[in-house]
Amino acid sequence: MWQKYHMKEGISVKRLIIHMIFFCFIITACQMSQKDMQQATYNQEDKLTLNEYLYEKTNYKLFINKEKSLELYEPPNNCYIGAYILSNPDLNFEIDNFEEITKKSHGIYLRNLKLGKPFPIEWVLECTAKMKTPFIIVQPPSIDYPYQDFLLEETARAFGEYYIPIFVEFYPDPQQYGNSKEYKEFFNKARNIFNKYAPNVAFVWSVNYKNIKDSMPYYPGDDFVDWVAINLYDMLDVENKDDVIDNKDIFNEIDFFYFLFQDKKPIMISQLGISHYSKQNHGYYVDEAAKKIEDFYKKIKIYYPQIKTVNYMDFDNIEVAPEEMGYDNFKITAHKNLLESYISVVNNEYFTDSLDTQNHGQKAHYWFVSYYPIYKKDNEFFISDKVLEYEWNIKNLNLEEIDSIKINDSTYYLLSKLARDNGFNIIINDKDKIIKVN
């Protein structure tokens, strides 16, 4: 009996040992599998990270040749240059004096007008006699009661009486008017009345560059706007050194607006002022302002082909602003350094004084600037699939056998082969870091 029990016990022990060995094998296998999976995941992530290191993200800009219809008074390939001088007594408020000092013929001159006030016919005729285009900033008759419909028809009739080409910047900086629905309704009503009685007027919708994103709900719509614009007064923040010395933050704001409208409407910097003196600390920043002016116009010319007008506001806001609210002097005619920088950068054929009245509605080619970054490896450039999908708008592109990489969930194609396989030309400007494709 004891022997029989002992045999059974031996068999049980053997089974237990076998089960333990089998269990250890399973645990070891699972651990190895988990380790292999972790290694595989690590390798995959490492590969993605490696692509970002192997392929350099560049600051090159991709320009794509596209076609569109020109809006009223839109120049196909140039940028109008304009100025506001009616608050500068040093010039005796005279166009001829300003152009003699700047050594440049400006095509556009500005003035302010409250809705319902008499039309400035003498000033408009003076501009016309000098081959200048009037640009009138129409402000509300009262900030408390801005929407006075009964004033619109009489105003529009006055603007259309002589059929003189005029730009009208209507109710700029819309955020100050509160309700966006009311603003758009009044803007659109004004536009329709001007279309009826003053079709010679190009309607401009404009925003303050510091409120660009928040102003978008006030956009009246493509059918009610000829041009879109930014008002840009670079007032000195003397506590911020970076703000004093460069335009970086300014162009960050411009970029948002530019990418939004470049294929919809011509864009203008309708009011530009760059301060060289601040009443905050009674400090002069002439050299910094001179550099900013030169840098600004150069960048507009090179990188923003759909900005078709820049108007400089030549006045001292410390003298002009009511109740001592002004803190900055924007006059370029106040200092030799400022004037020399301005003269050096605007005296070329790109900045034109000649108004285009012939090509409204005509098809024209233009350079569209891509929003998406370009990567580079071994002097070869790679562009995102989002460029092809959202910006290029060309169907049936041949993408077979074109080298591609994955970065941040996007596919990037080898540009040289993409162009070669699809019959495009590439022009690479390494100096300005521009790649043009047509």
Side-chain angles (χ1 to χ4, degrees), residues 60 379 381 415 426-431 434-436:
Y60 278 74
N379 291 321
F381 294 96
L415 179 58
I426 300 176
I427 302 171
I428 299 175
N429 178 345
D430 289 317
K431 178 187 175 185
I434 289 175
I435 300 174
K436 291 186 174 182

Side-chain angles (χ1 to χ4, degrees), residues 289-321:
K291 184 179 181 301
K292 280 185 179 181
I293 290 167
E294 188 172 346
D295 182 60
F296 188 88
Y297 281 88
K298 279 183 178 178
K299 283 185 176 177
I300 294 298
K301 180 178 182 290
I302 296 171
Y303 300 114
Y304 297 89
Q306 290 311 297
I307 292 182
K308 300 292 188 75
T309 302
V310 181
N311 299 321
Y312 196 86
M313 310 297 284
D314 192 51
F315 71 99
D316 182 352
N317 200 40
I318 299 169
E319 297 175 353
V320 173

Side-chain angles (χ1 to χ4, degrees), residues 21-56:
I21 293 170
F22 183 69
F23 181 71
C24 291
F25 174 77
I26 291 173
I27 291 176
T28 304
C30 288
Q31 287 176 340
M32 289 177 64
S33 176
Q34 186 177 8
K35 184 178 179 181
D36 290 343
M37 287 174 64
Q38 288 175 341
Q39 184 66 41
T41 304
Y42 171 78
N43 287 341
Q44 188 176 12
E45 290 176 353
D46 189 51
K47 185 177 180 182
L48 288 175
T49 307
L50 192 61
N51 269 349
E52 294 185 56
Y53 282 110
L54 291 176
Y55 294 83
E56 172 197 356

Side-chain angles (χ1 to χ4, degrees), residues 393-407:
N393 296 332
I394 298 177
K395 297 179 180 178
N396 303 319
L397 282 173
N398 180 12
L399 301 177
E400 295 180 6
E401 299 181 0
I402 295 178
D403 296 344
S404 64
I405 56 169
K406 277 280 189 183
I407 298 178

Side-chain angles (χ1 to χ4, degrees), residues 220-285:
D222 294 347
D223 293 338
F224 299 95
V225 172
D226 294 307
W227 292 62
V228 294
I230 299 172
N231 299 333
L232 201 165
Y233 289 94
D234 181 31
M235 295 176 283
L236 287 165
D237 179 0
V238 296
E239 302 299 324
N240 183 348
K241 184 179 179 182
D242 290 338
D243 176 77
V244 170
I245 63 175
D246 66 38
N247 292 328
K248 183 179 178 181
D249 291 341
I250 290 176
F251 280 100
N252 286 341
E253 297 300 325
I254 289 176
D255 282 347
F256 175 84
F257 194 82
Y258 189 86
F259 289 127
L260 192 62
F261 285 107
Q262 66 171 321
D263 60 343
K264 294 180 179 180
K265 296 291 174 181
I267 303 168
M268 63 168 66
I269 307 298
S270 55
Q271 302 176 43
L272 172 65
I274 296 177
S275 176
H276 65 273
Y277 172 80
S278 174
K279 195 171 74 172
Q280 291 181 58
N281 64 347
H282 304 287
Y284 285 91
Y285 301 89

